[in-house]
Amino acid sequence: MPNPRQPSKPIRSLLKRAVGLPGPDERARLRLAANLTQAEVAEAVGVNRVQVARWETGQAEPRQPHRRMYAQLLHGLAGRFPQGA
């Protein structure tokens, strides 16, 4: 009998894949704080520079697998360059 407190396997799978990202303005702030170009970020994540520009302006959202890699980069940068520091 399924445990009502435990999410089902498909739900757990979706939760595992869900990756939160900061807003577009914060994405750009973090990149600039680290003195990185959009081209450098794009190369590291495996996309075109224009795609990074679209993510930073809110015109598009990254999709998997690039979303996960971009999130890892942003979260690492957020630890180094906290907002308001």
Side-chain angles (χ1 to χ4, degrees):
M1 179 174 204
N3 182 344
R5 293 183 183 193
Q6 176 87 11
S8 67
K9 186 174 181 178
I11 298 296
R12 286 193 311 269
S13 175
L14 289 175
L15 290 171
K16 191 174 185 180
R17 284 188 8 217
V19 178
L21 294 173
D25 290 342
E26 181 66 359
R27 297 170 194 176
R29 184 196 74 79
L30 290 168
R31 179 183 57 77
L32 292 170
N35 200 29
L36 299 173
T37 66
Q38 289 177 339
E40 289 171 317
V41 171
E43 184 176 338
V45 175
V47 297
N48 184 298
R49 184 208 58 82
V50 172
Q51 198 60 42
V52 173
R54 291 173 50 90
W55 295 343
E56 289 184 356
T57 60
Q59 295 175 332
E61 285 293 315
R63 297 185 203 164
Q64 299 297 359
H66 305 112
R67 183 179 183 89
R68 186 177 321 268
M69 291 185 284
Y70 189 49
Q72 288 175 336
L73 172 65
L74 293 175
H75 290 296
L77 294 176
R80 292 183 181 180
F81 306 101
Q83 201 167 24

